[in-house]
Amino acid sequence: MKKIKKKQWYKLDQVGNFYSFLGDIISQNIFRYSAEIKDNIDLSLLQESFDETLKEYPLFNVTLRRGMFWYYLEETTEKYRIYEDEPPFCNFKMFDQNHPFLFRITYYKKRINFEVSHILSDGRGSLEFFKKLISRYVIKYYKLEGIDLNSNDEPYFKKTEDSFLKNYKDSGGYINNVDKVYHYKSPKYKNLTRYLEGHTKVDKILDLAHKHNVTLTVLIISVLIYSFKDVLSDRELDKSIIIDVPVDLRHYYNSKSVRNFFTLTHVSYKFKSREDTLEDILKEIDVQLKDILIKENLERRVNQLTKLEKNIFCRLAPLPIKTIIMKIADIVARSMSSSCVSNIGIIKLDPEIEKYVLHINTLVSTPYFQILLCTYKDDLCLGMSTVYKNNEVLKNFCRWFTDQGIEITMNVSEGK
């Protein structure tokens, strides 16, 4: 009798646990990466490249399963077939028998697209998979030689470790008290998200940031906050603009995991009057972000969340009870934020491969509106997502840069 191979399974990390309970698509948080290659995509070579990459990252070859107390990831025997891109974007359902995977890979003309659920990985972790995929494809298509994609590869156990649990210390956490939070008021699209992909020269933005003695991230956050000023009514001036800022923890803990390993922090600003300037905001946000990025402060946030997950009552609560609790937690989390700015950072490929990869872009699904940044070569991509019909804040944001002589080229698409 032929022995049946036992399927590999993985416990979800704390972030994956949270998102696994949020069944609606908007709450899942799905990243979308796109790479534009010099020539039209060869589907057979892309499929071949994907199959080989998936063998290196078996953690991605899974489906989400329900347990008695938690969801978990289980290896799937289904073979993923790449197909031509079609809307809606960032919109695949969990537990869908027609799509058991937690990612989607498509192509269109010269573009390769990769969408992945936050259940599986965060922005930086899933980027490693995407970089390996497009690098392997470029090598095959252009018949490049002498490029070793595995020269800096990490052992399998390092790529799949739960870095939250590995670095957990049973120490006190803390919860910040937040003032009244401003929430943007506009009619929303029904089951529709609008995605705006902005491109500009990164050097011009960096020059502007250096002029103000701040980082690029601080500049982007501060301009976004400044863009709220004309939208606030007089009675709303006493409310704080809260911007969520995800922080990648791999650098602080020397982690190589491709699973979720970040903490969600925030910065805030309350307008004292309509006379507040961008310089006022820059100074305050710069101080707040520097304080946040001290390892000891990040460590307290990580321990706080991991401690909650380890709580005996939380662990033993049945799945239906946890689902109610997590959905309430999601509503509370949304109520404590005005928007979100996330910086994936600089994306680098092998110099020989970069000759053939023209652009790399990032977007993310959202329950309100947010900005996702990435830098590739001399291009800064501003991936803006919004569920609102009116977008004065984002218009003010883009207009501010235009007024500084910085041109932003926009591409607009929609995901239902």
Side-chain angles (χ1 to χ4, degrees):
M1 181 181 291
K2 187 176 179 181
K3 189 176 180 180
I4 299 175
K5 181 186 174 184
K6 190 175 180 180
K7 291 182 179 179
Q8 177 73 40
W9 70 277
Y10 305 89
K11 287 179 64 176
L12 286 163
D13 56 67
Q14 61 176 243
V15 175
N17 268 327
F18 176 75
Y19 283 111
S20 67
F21 287 93
L22 308 179
D24 61 290
I25 292 169
I26 288 178
S27 294
Q28 276 189 54
N29 272 48
I30 297 173
F31 295 96
R32 178 180 170 95
Y33 302 88
S34 296
E36 184 180 345
I37 315 299
K38 284 186 70 175
D39 296 283
N40 285 341
I41 302 302
D42 182 317
L43 176 57
S44 62
L45 282 183
L46 181 58
Q47 183 72 54
E48 184 181 316
S49 301
F50 165 73
D51 292 341
E52 293 175 9
T53 304
L54 194 60
K55 288 179 182 178
E56 291 184 46
Y57 294 88
L59 175 67
F60 284 77
N61 190 36
V62 294
T63 191
L64 189 66
R65 298 293 188 196
R66 292 182 177 93
M68 184 177 294
F69 298 104
W70 299 100
Y71 291 92
Y72 65 95
L73 301 174
E74 183 183 73
E75 176 188 2
T76 178
T77 55
E78 297 282 339
K79 184 174 174 61
Y80 185 85
R81 296 292 183 186
I82 298 171
Y83 56 96
E84 190 168 352
D85 195 29
E86 58 184 8
F89 304 141
C90 298
N91 189 310
F92 52 80
K93 297 179 180 179
M94 298 180 290
F95 306 118
D96 190 332
Q97 296 302 312
N98 297 320
H99 188 92
F101 303 92
L102 293 173
F103 65 84
R104 202 169 71 145
I105 294 179
T106 60
Y107 74 97
Y108 181 71
K109 294 183 179 179
K110 299 179 181 181
R111 278 200 173 198
I112 300 172
N113 309 298
F114 176 45
E115 296 178 1
V116 58
S117 170
H118 223 322
I119 294 171
L120 197 56
S121 181
D122 58 22
R124 197 73 212 184
S126 50
L127 177 62
E128 294 306 310
F129 182 97
F130 187 56
K131 283 167 58 179
K132 188 64 72 76
L133 169 63
I134 59 177
S135 294
R136 182 167 274 121
Y137 172 81
V138 167
I139 289 172
K140 290 178 181 293
Y141 187 90
Y142 294 101
K143 299 180 173 57
L144 305 182
E145 297 180 354
I147 300 175
D148 184 4
L149 291 180
N150 300 314
S151 58
N152 296 315
D153 222 3
E154 297 293 334
Y156 172 68
F157 75 91
K158 283 194 173 184
K159 289 193 285 189
T160 58
E161 74 176 14
D162 185 338
S163 292
F164 286 112
L165 289 179
K166 180 183 177 182
N167 295 287
Y168 171 67
K169 296 177 183 177
D170 191 5
S171 58
Y174 70 102
I175 299 176
N176 281 352
N177 293 320
V178 178
D179 294 331
K180 289 187 291 184
V181 183
Y182 173 76
H183 298 108
Y184 183 60
K185 296 175 179 62
S186 165
K188 293 183 179 180
Y189 291 108
K190 186 176 180 180
N191 301 321
L192 176 69
T193 304
R194 177 160 287 177
Y195 297 100
L196 301 92
E197 183 188 296
H199 293 271
T200 189
K201 297 293 183 183
V202 69
D203 289 346
K204 291 186 176 181
I205 301 283
L206 284 174
D207 287 344
L208 202 54
H210 295 157
K211 178 182 175 183
H212 292 282
N213 295 312
V214 297
T215 64
L216 183 147
T217 302
V218 169
L219 178 66
I220 296 295
I221 293 172
S222 299
V223 174
L224 180 61
I225 292 173
Y226 187 69
S227 301
F228 278 89
K229 188 169 73 168
D230 292 339
V231 177
L232 293 166
S233 66
D234 289 341
R235 60 186 176 83
E236 290 171 330
L237 279 174
D238 66 333
K239 294 186 177 182
S240 294
I241 308 299
I242 310 290
I243 306 295
D244 285 338
V245 185
V247 177
D248 181 13
L249 296 169
R250 292 170 180 81
H251 168 71
Y252 296 91
Y253 292 93
N254 194 29
S255 169
K256 305 298 180 183
S257 178
V258 297
R259 304 180 79 172
N260 289 297
F261 193 43
F262 77 100
T263 188
L264 189 63
T265 65
H266 70 262
V267 294
S268 65
Y269 187 85
K270 185 188 292 185
F271 286 94
K272 301 169 186 65
S273 75
R274 295 200 183 275
E275 304 305 314
D276 286 14
T277 65
L278 177 64
E279 195 66 37
D280 296 325
I281 301 171
L282 285 164
K283 289 177 181 177
E284 193 162 325
I285 299 305
D286 188 43
V287 170
Q288 290 183 34
L289 204 55
K290 283 177 179 175
D291 182 61
I292 286 169
L293 297 179
I294 296 172
K295 185 177 179 180
E296 290 75 15
N297 292 340
L298 291 172
E299 194 172 77
R300 284 197 291 271
R301 292 176 181 270
V302 174
N303 291 339
Q304 174 188 327
L305 294 173
T306 308
K307 195 170 187 175
L308 179 64
E309 187 181 25
K310 284 176 165 287
N311 182 283
I312 187 68
F313 297 105
C314 185
R315 287 166 58 189
L316 296 180
L319 209 61
I321 300 299
K322 282 197 184 82
T323 300
I324 295 171
I325 293 171
M326 293 296 188
K327 288 189 175 182
I328 292 173
D330 181 48
I331 293 170
V332 171
R334 291 192 204 181
S335 71
M336 297 172 66
S337 174
S338 306
S339 187
C340 178
V341 173
S342 180
N343 191 352
I344 295 292
I346 299 172
I347 300 174
K348 290 185 177 181
L349 302 173
D350 184 281
E352 287 301 308
I353 293 172
E354 283 189 349
K355 296 177 183 178
Y356 302 96
V357 180
L358 305 180
H359 298 288
I360 295 180
N361 318 299
T362 52
L363 293 167
V364 65
S365 62
T366 181
Y368 38 86
F369 72 89
Q370 66 185 83
I371 300 175
L372 182 62
L373 313 173
C374 77
T375 302
Y376 176 67
K377 295 194 281 194
D378 65 345
D379 178 67
L380 173 66
C381 176
L382 299 160
M384 292 172 273
S385 313
T386 177
V387 297
Y388 298 113
K389 293 182 179 180
N390 303 319
N391 288 283
E392 291 99 328
V393 175
L394 289 178
K395 289 175 183 176
N396 291 343
F397 174 81
C398 294
R399 189 180 297 120
W400 186 89
F401 286 103
T402 302
D403 289 344
Q404 308 305 308
I406 298 174
E407 183 181 348
I408 298 178
T409 303
M410 302 295 298
N411 297 322
V412 180
S413 57
E414 295 177 347
K416 294 182 179 178

